[in-house]
Amino acid sequence: MNKGRGSTGWLLAIALGILSGMVMSLVMVWCNIERMDTNYFINILQVDVRDRQAHRAKLEVEREHLLSPYELGRKAAAFGMRQPRPGQVRRMDGQ
Amino acid sequence: MFQVKSPRRQRNRRTVSNRSVARAGKPLTGWRATLTNVDWGRQRINLVAVLFLLFWAGLWGRAWYLQMIEGPRLADKARRQHMASELVAGKRGKIFDRNGQVLARSVECRSVYARPGEITDVVRVANALGPILEIPPQALYEQLSDSRRKFIWLARKIDDQKASEVRRAELAGIGLSKEYDRVYPFKQMAGQLLGFVGMDDKGLEGIERALDSHLAGVPTRQIVQRDATGRRFYLHAEGQEEPRGKDLTLTIDTQVQFFAEEAISKTVEDYGANWGGVLVVDVPSGDILAWAQYPFFNPNAFREYSPSQYRNRLASDALEPGSTFKPFLVAAALQEKKVDAGTLFNCENGKWETKTITIRDTSRRGILPVDKILRYSSNIGMAKIGLTLGARTFHRYLSLLGFGARTGVPVAESKGILRQPRDWGEADLISTSFGQSISVTVLQMAQAYLTLLNGGEYRPLRLVIDENANIQQQYHRVFSERVSRQVMDMMRDVVEEGDGTGKAARISGIQVGGKTGTAQKADKHSRSYGQKRTASFVGFVPAANPRYLVVVFVDEPTKSQYGGVVAAPVFQRVTSRTITYKGHLPDVVFAEASDRAVAEGGRRGRRTRGLKPAGDIRPLFESPLTAEVRRTVADGSRNSVARPAAVVPNVVGKSVRNAVELFARGGIVPILKGDGQRVVRQQPEPGSKWPTGEKSGEYILWLSEM
């Protein structure tokens, strides 16, 4: 009787071990897949950020072009402005 | 697997056996008895166990096979599919001006490539891609049909619109690759100085070439992983950051550069010259503020220009400098105490024949002291000073000033031509004395004048701002301060005295020093001096304590050839605009008001608030606030252009700032009386018409006392 109970316990323990091993293997595989998946989507988002940064750089080029002295000179002339003469330049300070 | 003999099972077996006997009525024998005695339940369990075992064994076997036998081959196949080794050049560094304005930057763009082996329908691809890339479909078809090639570039650095159309077309075997395009937002500004980069982002001219190793990222080979759509992705942090070139800050000030470019372009056009160039140098620091050359070169479209147009002539073209070279001879002779300012020389009434050479002056002069020889730019007088000094000594001074050697500014530059004194005959010494028989670059002239204006101590020109550079370094002295001062005084007379040759360079309100030059150009064919000239002017302000040095060269002007006529006005325009922009120009109109403001400010022991006329309250030539102003404009926070009111607005009660802004919209800078914060009275009355001329003197705002 005692011998039979002992072997049943061992069998149960082994079966449980195998089962838990299988479950853990599955969990590990699932985690790896999730990791890859998350990493993949993070990469996609990073690519998106880079695209936006590249787009911003292009907009900055346009802004720099619009702020170039040549462009400002053309715009100023269109608004009827002209180069200041001695006595016409004031520096704003303290306001 | 395991036979479990429990008492319950034995009991059941016995029960079944008894039932069989009971059904048959007699005991079974042979195979029937054997079949009847089989425990089918147990057999089924065994069968399932065996199948399960076989299944697991199959799975493990397959896994083992894939891992151990097929593993390396499959891994290699996967690597080839998803991993690629790429040579990543990375983004090139930006080039800034001294105020942080971007002169050159790289922006991401796309290039279209094809893998002919992966294209299934070449005709369809050629027809779809041709109109997008503006390439004839037939030409595309021929390219794509060449199945021997594995990879073909179809179009490099295309714009975003085209890239998006190519992406939408979803053509098999056609892909888009990321590259960087070099963009120069200010277009032609400082084009020859900046240079350009080639298709592979390698510097080919100018700063881009000279400092390519600094600007370009170190190309690294990276293993990148791509998904099915070709997107890169990384499992680890490494590889996510691309190699990146270092940024570069130049000493150039875009605003001063603009003044220089405008002035030189106008002069070259007006006088029908071959080309012209201007260098503006900040004397205390040696910083090059402007490096202008006309005709312009736009590096964004470098393929449309010839090498002669994008050559940086200010550094690479060696020219005979002419009379702008004379101050160095005078300084050397003064330093060696061979002459002093009053030493007299006979200028032979404009014509002097020596054994080897005949020299002519443009004006007939008799006996002149050294200072007037320089003021009238007498070649004969200079020749005699040169003979007094001697070739060997003169050569030594020229070497110390940097002639015959590169300046060290990081651009491709010529050393010029300065022959050894043993090769100089009398004619060479005479002609070198007035700036002939020697070839120098505009950059070398700026370097030599910088030494002269820096109290005679050599100071290197600076084009690149390097935070780590040792600015305390001591350099050799060429002239004493006294000699340097004497020569500067003589050069001031060239401009400020009524009989000087550089009168066109005068700027009202500030004393200017300078020297004109009109050099004959050697004719290659006749091997003598021809009719062509190089007009030049070298000037500085203020004459007493130079802050800005401006060197102007105009090559082969046709309508007039004299430096005092052609080049001096360029100096005048560039310098007057520069000092106005920097806030250094003395203010005549507001002198009285500002004096009062200074006195008031001093009495109260606090800073005067509100508007201040430029230049008077601030100490002359302090560092400007321009960078801050630019930043404000760039932010767009205060930059609004408003239409003026139809008539003079009512500004009584408004803040002084608001009132001045309202007047400024009408093109008027009003005179302020008092130094309070509110306008209490105005002239003219509200509702008057704006002026049509340039008179603004009658526009006065009286301010509250507090």
Side-chain angles (χ1 to χ4, degrees):
Chain A
M1 287 291 283
N2 282 344
K3 195 181 173 186
R5 265 206 298 276
S7 44
T8 308
W10 271 110
L11 283 170
L12 271 172
I14 290 166
L16 273 173
I18 290 171
L19 191 70
S20 57
M22 285 172 71
V23 169
M24 280 171 72
S25 301
L26 281 173
V27 168
M28 202 176 79
V29 168
W30 184 80
C31 282
N32 254 327
I33 292 169
E34 276 299 300
R35 175 176 159 258
M36 291 289 287
D37 206 36
T38 310
N39 184 62
Y40 178 70
F41 285 110
I42 286 171
N43 270 288
I44 290 174
L45 289 175
Q46 279 176 340
V47 168
D48 192 38
V49 168
R50 280 181 203 167
D51 284 349
R52 282 163 197 265
Q53 280 171 344
H55 188 63
R56 184 186 159 170
K58 283 171 192 165
L59 291 174
E60 278 174 359
V61 168
E62 193 54 36
R63 190 192 70 180
E64 282 149 11
H65 167 62
L66 290 171
L67 283 174
S68 78
Y70 283 102
E71 202 58 34
L72 288 178
R74 262 193 291 276
K75 285 270 189 294
F79 282 108
M81 296 178 184
R82 58 180 182 273
Q83 189 195 336
R85 296 189 315 278
Q88 286 190 316
V89 179
R90 304 291 188 82
R91 291 184 185 273
M92 313 300 280
D93 190 24
Q95 288 198 11
Chain B
M1 287 162 68
F2 297 97
Q3 202 169 17
V4 181
K5 287 183 179 177
S6 68
R8 184 182 287 178
R9 280 194 175 190
Q10 284 175 348
R11 202 165 46 239
N12 287 345
R13 201 184 304 157
R14 273 198 300 274
T15 314
V16 169
S17 182
N18 292 341
R19 273 187 212 137
S20 307
V21 173
R23 271 202 301 271
K26 58 180 179 180
L28 296 173
T29 56
W31 62 273
R32 277 175 185 271
T34 310
L35 279 178
T36 312
N37 289 332
V38 169
D39 184 351
W40 287 108
R42 189 176 161 208
Q43 291 306 321
R44 276 196 294 270
I45 287 169
N46 285 342
L47 183 67
V48 169
V50 167
L51 285 176
F52 191 69
L53 268 175
L54 281 174
F55 174 74
W56 270 106
L59 267 181
W60 280 108
R62 181 66 182 160
W64 179 83
Y65 178 77
L66 288 177
Q67 287 291 325
M68 305 305 290
I69 308 295
E70 288 287 299
R73 191 182 65 80
L74 291 173
D76 187 47
K77 199 174 173 184
R79 239 193 317 277
R80 267 185 279 132
Q81 270 185 355
H82 298 292
M83 311 284 273
S85 166
E86 286 185 357
L87 189 68
V88 184
K91 197 172 181 178
R92 209 173 161 82
K94 293 179 195 167
I95 303 178
F96 297 100
D97 87 331
R98 65 187 302 115
N99 298 324
Q101 295 273 294
V102 180
L103 298 173
R105 73 188 303 164
S106 291
V107 293
E108 218 176 277
C109 65
R110 295 282 180 270
S111 292
V112 187
Y113 64 84
R115 295 187 191 280
E118 297 172 15
I119 299 174
T120 46
D121 188 348
V122 178
V123 177
R124 187 181 148 260
V125 170
N127 281 331
L129 216 52
I132 300 173
L133 301 179
E134 292 167 10
I135 302 173
Q138 183 60 35
L140 264 181
Y141 176 81
E142 282 163 17
Q143 267 191 297
L144 298 174
S145 304
D146 186 358
S147 55
R148 286 169 303 174
R149 296 174 69 182
K150 288 185 175 173
F151 182 94
I152 306 169
W153 283 118
L154 295 180
R156 302 285 295 272
K157 299 181 180 179
I158 58 172
D159 59 51
D160 288 355
Q161 178 72 27
K162 286 180 184 170
S164 152
E165 285 178 36
V166 171
R167 199 175 290 119
R168 274 202 301 271
E170 291 181 356
L171 300 166
I174 303 296
L176 288 163
S177 166
K178 184 176 88 173
E179 288 194 283
Y180 288 103
D181 196 12
R182 198 68 168 159
V183 179
Y184 304 86
F186 292 172
K187 297 185 175 174
Q188 76 270 20
M189 183 173 276
Q192 286 96 346
L193 173 66
L194 295 173
F196 57 89
V197 299
M199 193 54 86
D200 295 317
D201 243 14
K202 190 168 173 54
L204 298 180
E205 273 294 328
I207 290 279
E208 296 277 22
R209 181 182 181 181
L211 296 172
D212 190 54
S213 57
H214 179 95
L215 288 163
V218 180
T220 51
R221 191 161 281 283
Q222 282 186 355
I223 305 293
V224 296
Q225 200 164 2
R226 293 183 181 278
D227 68 2
T229 59
R231 263 192 299 248
R232 284 173 174 212
F233 69 99
Y234 305 90
L235 294 177
H236 307 288
E238 67 263 23
Q240 295 203 23
E241 290 301 321
E242 284 180 344
R244 212 197 125 105
K246 294 189 192 106
D247 293 342
L248 189 72
T249 303
L250 301 183
T251 56
I252 297 291
D253 184 319
T254 46
Q255 201 62 46
V256 180
Q257 177 76 22
F258 171 64
F259 299 149
E261 287 186 356
E262 269 210 336
I264 196 65
S265 63
K266 185 173 186 308
T267 293
V268 170
E269 288 296 330
D270 288 353
Y271 288 97
N274 188 15
W275 67 273
V278 180
L279 277 180
V280 181
V281 179
D282 180 72
V283 175
S285 62
D287 286 358
I288 299 171
L289 300 177
W291 185 304
Q293 184 180 318
Y294 185 84
F296 296 136
F297 160 66
N298 181 357
N300 291 308
F302 66 90
R303 285 184 198 82
E304 294 168 17
Y305 294 85
S306 65
S308 66
Q309 287 171 304
Y310 59 67
R311 191 169 73 234
N312 189 350
R313 290 175 181 270
L314 302 189
S316 60
D317 280 16
L319 306 160
E320 288 185 297
S323 298
T324 44
F325 199 69
K326 289 172 181 171
F328 303 123
L329 173 65
V330 173
L334 288 169
Q335 184 67 33
E336 290 294 313
K337 296 189 169 51
K338 299 285 184 188
V339 298
D340 59 40
T343 307
L344 299 172
F345 286 92
N346 185 355
C347 292
E348 312 284 350
N349 284 320
K351 186 179 178 186
W352 186 41
E353 290 182 22
T354 68
K355 288 178 209 162
T356 51
I357 188 170
T358 302
I359 312 165
R360 287 185 178 81
D361 278 342
T362 50
S363 58
R364 292 181 174 185
R365 306 278 176 179
I367 295 171
L368 290 175
V370 169
D371 59 344
K372 288 200 172 174
I373 287 173
L374 189 68
R375 191 189 308 171
Y376 303 142
S377 199
S378 165
N379 291 341
I380 296 168
M382 282 294 159
K384 290 187 175 180
I385 296 172
L387 288 170
T388 308
L389 184 64
R392 207 164 281 279
T393 312
F394 189 25
H395 182 275
R396 181 163 55 82
Y397 276 95
L398 294 181
S399 297
L400 287 171
L401 286 166
F403 293 112
R406 294 189 176 90
T407 61
V409 171
V411 289
E413 60 172 324
S414 162
K415 286 201 284 189
I417 301 169
L418 175 65
R419 287 180 296 156
Q420 291 299 314
R422 62 172 175 271
D423 300 329
W424 290 18
E426 188 189 68
D428 295 315
L429 175 59
I430 288 172
S431 52
T432 306
S433 299
F434 48 84
Q436 290 187 344
S437 296
I438 182 172
S439 291
V440 305
T441 64
V442 180
L443 197 60
Q444 284 176 328
M445 283 295 274
Q447 175 63 79
Y449 269 101
L450 181 63
T451 302
L452 184 68
L453 301 183
N454 191 40
E457 189 180 300
Y458 179 86
R459 183 189 293 274
L461 286 166
R462 193 168 76 138
L463 181 63
V464 177
I465 296 175
D466 182 3
E467 304 292 340
N468 304 319
N470 178 15
I471 54 170
Q472 299 300 324
Q473 198 174 340
Q474 290 290 314
Y475 294 98
H476 61 268
R477 179 168 285 282
V478 183
F479 306 118
S480 69
E481 282 197 36
R482 189 183 60 82
V483 165
S484 163
R485 182 72 268 154
Q486 271 183 299
V487 176
M488 283 195 275
D489 288 344
M490 290 179 197
M491 291 177 74
R492 182 198 58 213
D493 293 346
V494 170
V495 176
E496 297 296 337
E497 291 297 321
D499 51 356
T501 54
K503 285 179 284 184
R506 287 179 189 167
I507 299 168
S508 77
I510 196 164
Q511 283 211 319
V512 173
K515 183 71 193 82
T516 58
T518 310
Q520 289 177 297
K521 285 191 81 176
D523 188 349
K524 270 188 244 173
H525 304 293
S526 65
R527 312 195 95 190
S528 65
Y529 288 105
Q531 296 302 310
K532 292 173 180 171
R533 302 280 189 275
T534 302
S536 58
F537 185 85
V538 180
F540 53 89
V541 285
N545 183 23
R547 174 68 194 259
Y548 297 112
L549 161 68
V550 180
V551 184
V552 182
F553 267 67
V554 181
D555 187 50
E556 298 182 16
T558 50
K559 291 177 186 165
S560 173
Q561 295 184 317
Y562 296 106
V565 177
V566 178
V570 176
F571 165 86
Q572 196 271 345
R573 280 198 292 273
V574 173
T575 310
S576 60
R577 291 183 80 179
T578 300
I579 58 180
T580 303
Y581 157 67
K582 298 278 188 184
H584 300 325
L585 196 61
D587 192 313
V588 180
V589 183
F590 294 94
E592 193 186 326
S594 64
D595 285 345
R596 201 168 57 244
V598 171
E600 285 289 311
R603 197 163 57 239
R604 290 175 200 158
R606 62 177 174 83
R607 294 179 72 194
T608 308
R609 287 169 60 83
L611 287 164
K612 292 187 294 191
D616 280 338
I617 295 176
R618 299 172 61 209
L620 195 63
F621 300 131
E622 68 176 9
S623 67
L625 302 169
T626 48
E628 192 56 44
V629 172
R630 294 289 318 184
R631 222 167 286 129
T632 310
V633 172
D635 292 345
S637 54
R638 287 163 53 183
N639 185 27
S640 62
V641 179
R643 294 272 175 200
V647 291
V648 174
N650 184 0
V651 295
V652 175
K654 291 186 186 296
S655 72
V656 62
R657 180 185 181 136
N658 192 357
V660 171
E661 277 178 358
L662 288 169
F663 270 70
R665 287 175 196 168
I668 297 295
V669 177
I671 295 171
L672 302 179
K673 295 198 172 178
D675 34 78
Q677 298 298 306
R678 298 263 153 209
V679 179
V680 293
R681 192 152 68 89
Q682 72 176 88
Q683 180 193 316
E685 292 300 314
S688 318
K689 284 188 178 174
W690 290 113
T692 48
E694 293 197 342
K695 289 170 75 178
S696 62
E698 65 248 44
Y699 288 79
I700 306 168
L701 301 179
W702 284 268
L703 308 178
S704 61
E705 289 306 314
M706 289 299 291

